[in-house]
Amino acid sequence: MAVALDAQDGIPPVKLDDFNKIHAWWDYHKDGSAALDDRAMVNGRGYLLLRLSNPNAEQECNVAISEFQNIYGKAIKRLLVETRVKLLTPMKPGSRGWGFWKSAKGAALQSLCWFMEQMDAGDARLSWKMMGVVAKKQRQTHPWKPEINVWHVYRIERDLVSNTTRFWIDDSLLLQTAQLAPADRLSFHLWIDNQVYSKKGLVRAAWSGESALLVDYVKIVTQRKIKSTPDVKHPALLLYKAWNDVLVGSGEYVIGDFSFQTTGPTVYVLLTARLESYDGFDEDDALMLYLDDDTAPVKKWSGKDLKGATRTFFFELEAEPGSHRLRLSGKNTPTLYDLLLVDGGKARILFNKALQPLSPDSMEIIIRKEPDAALLGYAAATLDESPEFNHILPVGRLEESDQDLQIRMLDQQSNLLKAFFFCGNESLGECRTKLWTIRGDASEVLVKLRQQGNPELHRLIFFQSY
């Protein structure tokens, strides 16, 4: 099942951490006073909580996440990071922030683009809050006014095509540099420390108390080409499909308002999403589905119930033949993968199961259909990367230790009809979905599933379509 991939090819178009699990591609830092502090980092509950407490002046004290190496080079022409952050405490002596940086020990010149605030208790001139770019000897900055206990979405884009760096807060463009973008190899960092950067060099501060911030998610977009999904003819209507798409809004907001036709009396709906609860730091994620002009949702899901789990919800809606509307709304920051409708008047369910995880390592399913009918299939799976994954090691060397899933479909003469391969080192712990059709006169289709590790198969469903 091994697939040989170059290291850079292992970076998906959108790389997301929603902080529901530990990821191999982060280096989790706890140094100095934070090293033995169990409260310094909380991860895996749908958020990342960083707290630096009572640092001393004799050593660097920090709590942070960073990518291991400088991995985003000139080949990535448009590099974007988006993160949703809430600052929980006022600034303490030292620095904190997030963005891209080229790490080089002892180097006098830096390459970076980030949001950062710094405080020096003894020198107001060294206390500042800025977003900005440094590229060798050039720099451009803009003031930043952080708010305590308020969520904001921060975005930074390095655009090497136009040689421009852009900074947004909540979709407001606050800085667009004039012909300045760091072209060095960068990686993402998010930190709190006790270090003050001054003309006299690095000064480490000691203080009592706590500096803390909360992160909802980090999304890094490399703008590599995303493979298009071929259109599937009726009765399947793929209303929505995204790659690691975290939705953001205030109150209840509309994600999509879709029109569709049905021959009635039933419409099958598949919705794959992740919803989180935030232990009181924020309201729970939610999704609501409305049919036609109904003011009450026909379906509603909450992060209070899912607690960060990814699920494919399957259900039936009663819908008379003709035209209908389906409206999908959200609250807070749900992660939505796709929304699929199947006309119940033109399809019949043959197989429908959630297998989490698969057991045993391989299994076979026989699907029987009418010879002149098409077979419509859908699969949604989440697979983790190798524990040693870091974007620098060639991925092919790590393919024996990630989670993989192979789905092969054969006819009665053992001819291959379709095959799909889900790779953990490509999806990096996020859900991937597949939608396909098989046409032909085979009355039986043998479905072979083979796994490596323990991938989650959220849903495997087959319809006979007419």
Side-chain angles (χ1 to χ4, degrees), residues 88-294:
L88 299 178
T89 60
M91 188 65 191
K92 294 284 190 179
S95 73
R96 62 185 179 184
W98 47 86
F100 293 113
W101 176 46
K102 178 185 178 182
S103 58
K105 291 183 178 180
L109 299 177
Q110 298 285 336
S111 290
L112 58 88
C113 45
W114 58 23
F115 291 89
M116 178 175 171
E117 54 179 333
Q118 173 175 287
M119 179 180 178
D120 187 328
D123 191 342
R125 295 171 300 175
L126 297 179
S127 299
W128 44 261
K129 301 170 178 63
M130 291 186 292
M131 62 195 80
V133 179
V134 175
K136 300 295 187 280
K137 295 183 179 180
Q138 295 180 283
R139 67 178 59 208
Q140 292 184 33
T141 61
H142 186 276
W144 168 39
K145 297 180 180 179
E147 298 175 80
I148 304 301
N149 289 316
V150 177
W151 284 106
H152 289 293
V153 176
Y154 300 86
R155 294 170 63 211
I156 305 170
E157 180 187 33
R158 181 192 72 173
D159 185 348
L160 297 181
V161 176
S162 63
N163 193 26
T164 303
T165 310
R166 303 175 184 90
F167 294 77
W168 292 265
I169 299 179
D170 297 331
D171 293 326
S172 295
L173 180 61
L174 299 179
L175 173 61
Q176 180 168 296
T177 64
Q179 293 297 299
L180 181 61
D184 287 324
R185 300 179 70 86
L186 305 176
S187 57
F188 181 80
H189 297 248
L190 185 148
W191 78 95
I192 305 172
D193 66 27
N194 69 330
Q195 302 194 125
V196 178
Y197 300 89
S198 70
K199 293 181 179 179
K200 297 180 181 180
L202 191 63
V203 178
R204 290 167 178 159
W207 40 267
S208 298
E210 180 178 276
S211 178
L213 61 82
L214 194 70
V215 188
D216 183 2
Y217 65 89
V218 174
K219 181 168 67 174
I220 299 171
V221 183
T222 56
Q223 296 295 319
R224 289 173 176 267
K225 185 177 180 181
I226 301 175
K227 294 180 180 178
S228 60
T229 302
D231 292 332
V232 179
K233 295 182 179 180
H234 224 52
L237 182 60
L238 187 61
L239 299 181
Y240 183 100
K241 186 173 177 63
W243 188 300
N244 294 0
D245 196 7
V246 179
L247 304 163
V248 181
S250 58
E252 181 175 338
Y253 55 91
V254 176
I255 299 167
D257 199 332
F258 311 102
S259 298
F260 66 95
Q261 296 279 335
T262 180
T263 61
T266 300
V267 175
Y268 300 111
V269 183
L270 290 105
L271 185 146
T272 299
R274 177 172 60 244
L275 303 172
E276 298 173 324
S277 184
Y278 302 94
D279 292 342
F281 289 112
D282 201 357
E283 68 171 318
D284 298 334
D285 295 339
L287 288 171
M288 290 73 65
L289 197 65
Y290 300 85
L291 181 63
D292 296 329
D293 296 323
D294 290 345

Side-chain angles (χ1 to χ4, degrees), residues 389-408:
F389 191 91
N390 66 7
H391 287 312
I392 300 302
L393 292 173
V395 178
R397 287 169 48 187
L398 304 174
E399 268 302 303
E400 295 303 321
S401 55
D402 70 336
Q403 295 179 349
D404 294 322
L405 174 63
Q406 183 186 76
I407 303 176
R408 300 172 71 239

Side-chain angles (χ1 to χ4, degrees), residues 60-79:
E60 176 184 355
C61 302
N62 69 64
V63 56
I65 59 171
S66 64
E67 294 176 296
F68 280 94
Q69 301 284 344
N70 305 313
I71 59 179
Y72 305 115
K74 294 180 180 179
I76 298 175
K77 299 301 183 184
R78 296 185 68 236
L79 175 65

Side-chain angles (χ1 to χ4, degrees), residues 300-409:
K300 184 176 181 179
W301 305 274
S302 171
K304 182 179 180 180
D305 301 318
L306 267 70
K307 293 182 172 57
T310 299
R311 293 286 183 269
T312 296
F313 303 103
F314 173 81
F315 53 94
E316 299 178 26
L317 292 178
E318 293 183 1
E320 295 297 325
S323 299
H324 296 274
R325 289 174 53 245
L326 201 64
R327 186 174 80 254
L328 181 63
S329 296
K331 285 186 177 180
N332 210 20
T333 59
T335 303
L336 179 63
Y337 297 98
D338 58 26
L339 173 61
L340 176 69
L341 300 186
V342 178
D343 186 349
K346 294 186 176 181
R348 178 167 63 89
I349 299 172
L350 301 178
F351 181 88
N352 180 20
K353 282 190 178 181
L355 305 168
Q356 300 180 345
L358 289 174
S359 181
D361 291 342
S362 62
M363 62 183 300
E364 296 183 357
I365 305 164
I366 296 177
I367 306 294
R368 294 182 174 88
K369 68 177 185 67
E370 297 175 11
D372 58 345
L375 190 64
L376 173 67
Y378 175 90
T382 294
L383 306 97
D384 290 338
E385 71 274 19
S386 166
E388 292 80 33
F389 191 91
N390 66 7
H391 287 312
I392 300 302
L393 292 173
V395 178
R397 287 169 48 187
L398 304 174
E399 268 302 303
E400 295 303 321
S401 55
D402 70 336
Q403 295 179 349
D404 294 322
L405 174 63
Q406 183 186 76
I407 303 176
R408 300 172 71 239
M409 284 148 281

Side-chain angles (χ1 to χ4, degrees), residues 16-28 41-48 65 68 383-389 428-430:
L16 172 67
D17 193 351
D18 221 354
F19 299 107
N20 285 287
K21 63 179 74 173
I22 300 297
H23 275 294
W25 39 274
W26 287 125
D27 187 7
Y28 299 94
M41 182 179 295
V42 178
N43 189 9
R45 298 180 184 175
Y47 58 82
L48 176 72
I65 59 171
F68 280 94
L383 306 97
D384 290 338
E385 71 274 19
S386 166
E388 292 80 33
F389 191 91
L428 299 183
E430 281 299 300

